[in-house]
Amino acid sequence: MQTRSEQRTGLAYGIAAYTMWGLLPLYWRLLDDAAPSEILAHRMVWSLPVAVVLLAVLRRWSWIGPLLRQPRRLGLILVSTLVISANWFLYIWAVNSGHVLEASLGYFINPLVSIAFGVLVLRERLRPLQWAAVGIGALAVLVMTVAYGRMPWIALALAFSFATYGLVKKGIKLDGIEGFSAETALQLLPALGFLVFLGLRGDASFTTGPGQALLLSACGVATAVPLICFGASAVRLPLTMIGMLQYLAPTFQFLLGLTVFHETMPPERWAGFALVWLALAMLTWDALRTAGRARAALAEAAAQAAAAAPPPEAATEAAPAAAAAQPTAEQPGTPRPPGLTQ
């Protein structure tokens, strides 16, 4: 069990991770002069050196050899790399194209999509409140379709791609830093080739000035630091707390869309977001209630086990009697238990 000090540390790491993820739109807007594809390529290229430094500091190389001998896991890593690359590109494009609010909607509904995947793919069973939350989420998508005059495809694509990424990662079974390193290793060559192509065409913004070059180079740090904080949080906090913290990132994105980027929010969009927030509140309440019942059941089981155990005094008194009942050596004429041989 984690101590309170460790849980406070985990909470601080978790808040830091999701706050940084929530504020990433500010960083991508600083790179507005670059095309989303170029930003994505730099994010891929500069993430690998950060990953290598982390592995060197932690001395975590032993997973590489066994992984290279498992084609199925390598195939899953390739799938997860393609999915997260598409998610990254769409998010960067959405932010720099004035769709921060819709992007935040995607990460708000991501838990609902993950639950739907659990039912459809993993054959998990939902509790009634979870079914109600998924139904309200589907209604929210319909309301948003009316509000936008189109299907909110950016939000849906972000939600489904990230939920797919999480589903594939369950089959890979690599820790956060290892998985991040494997994925960025697969991203490196295509991304580097694309950047060389841009440079030869004269379309690269990397060479337009030292400020732009520094910002693009720092994409790896902007990608890795929140992940490190998240990993430090995940080992110190219960899953229910992690589940609640994940709503911080889209909340920050939503607030940035309203207050910094001044995106429009007509009443019908407020209605759609309100339905999503209602569904998430139901999920959170259900998770807290289920976790509370589990803790109560464990406490009750521990109390019953303690009550069933003999008191220490009785155990102490019974020990000499049991020892006396056992002969120290077999005397002549002592009957042997059946089946005992000399």
Side-chain angles (χ1 to χ4, degrees):
M1 180 179 292
Q2 302 289 347
T3 65
R4 286 191 175 183
S5 175
E6 288 176 321
Q7 289 190 351
R8 284 195 294 268
T9 302
L11 183 62
Y13 276 122
I15 292 174
Y18 284 105
T19 299
M20 285 186 279
W21 277 326
L23 297 179
L24 266 181
L26 295 173
Y27 187 76
W28 302 139
R29 280 293 178 93
L30 293 176
L31 296 167
D32 203 14
D33 291 339
S37 55
E38 184 182 2
I39 298 173
L40 175 65
H42 277 285
R43 187 178 189 181
M44 293 174 173
V45 167
W46 295 106
S47 289
L48 184 59
V50 176
V52 170
V53 169
L54 290 174
L55 291 175
V57 170
L58 298 174
R59 298 181 181 179
R60 289 163 70 169
W61 306 102
S62 59
W63 57 277
I64 299 176
L67 178 63
L68 294 176
R69 294 189 292 270
Q70 296 176 297
R72 181 181 176 277
R73 292 179 75 194
L74 287 173
L76 289 176
I77 291 175
L78 177 60
V79 172
S80 69
T81 302
L82 293 174
V83 172
I84 198 60
S85 299
N87 179 274
W88 285 358
F89 173 78
L90 181 58
Y91 182 67
I92 295 169
W93 175 86
V95 168
N96 287 351
S97 301
H99 299 287
V100 176
L101 288 176
E102 191 174 348
S104 73
L105 176 65
Y107 289 107
F108 273 127
I109 66 177
N110 175 67
L112 301 172
V113 177
S114 295
I115 288 175
F117 276 11
V119 174
L120 298 174
V121 180
L122 303 178
R123 304 299 180 185
E124 296 176 354
R125 293 189 176 185
L126 298 187
R127 294 181 291 273
L129 208 57
Q130 290 176 313
W131 276 116
V134 172
I136 292 174
L139 178 61
V141 172
L142 292 177
V143 171
M144 283 297 188
T145 300
V146 175
Y148 281 100
R150 58 171 174 82
M151 185 73 74
W153 67 270
I154 297 174
L156 292 175
L158 287 172
F160 274 88
S161 59
F162 202 74
T164 302
Y165 177 69
L167 183 65
V168 174
K169 293 280 280 186
K170 287 179 69 70
I172 298 173
K173 297 178 182 177
L174 278 178
D175 289 341
I177 294 177
E178 284 89 339
F180 174 68
S181 302
E183 289 162 2
T184 52
L186 291 179
Q187 290 172 334
L188 176 66
L189 289 180
L192 191 58
F194 179 73
L195 291 178
V196 170
F197 172 73
L198 286 181
L200 293 175
R201 287 182 51 183
D203 294 334
S205 68
F206 186 80
T207 56
T208 57
Q212 183 78 349
L214 182 62
L215 286 172
L216 287 170
S217 302
C219 285
V221 176
T223 302
V225 171
L227 180 66
I228 297 167
C229 291
F230 173 77
S233 174
V235 298
R236 291 175 171 86
L237 293 179
L239 286 177
T240 50
M241 182 64 73
I242 293 290
M244 287 186 287
L245 285 177
Q246 72 176 329
Y247 302 133
L248 281 176
T251 299
F252 279 117
Q253 295 165 14
F254 178 82
L255 293 175
L256 287 176
L258 280 181
T259 61
V260 177
F261 304 127
H262 305 292
E263 295 184 15
T264 58
M265 191 71 171
E268 57 270 22
R269 292 188 191 175
W270 279 109
F273 271 93
L275 286 172
V276 171
W277 294 332
L278 174 61
L280 295 179
M282 294 170 66
L283 283 182
T284 303
W285 167 252
D286 180 73
L288 291 174
R289 185 180 62 174
T290 303
R293 287 177 176 175
R295 285 194 298 268
L298 285 174
E300 183 179 355
Q304 290 176 352
E313 296 82 359
T316 304
E317 294 174 0
Q326 297 292 332
T328 57
E330 186 179 67
Q331 301 298 323
T334 302
R336 295 175 181 163
L340 184 61
T341 58
Q342 190 164 351

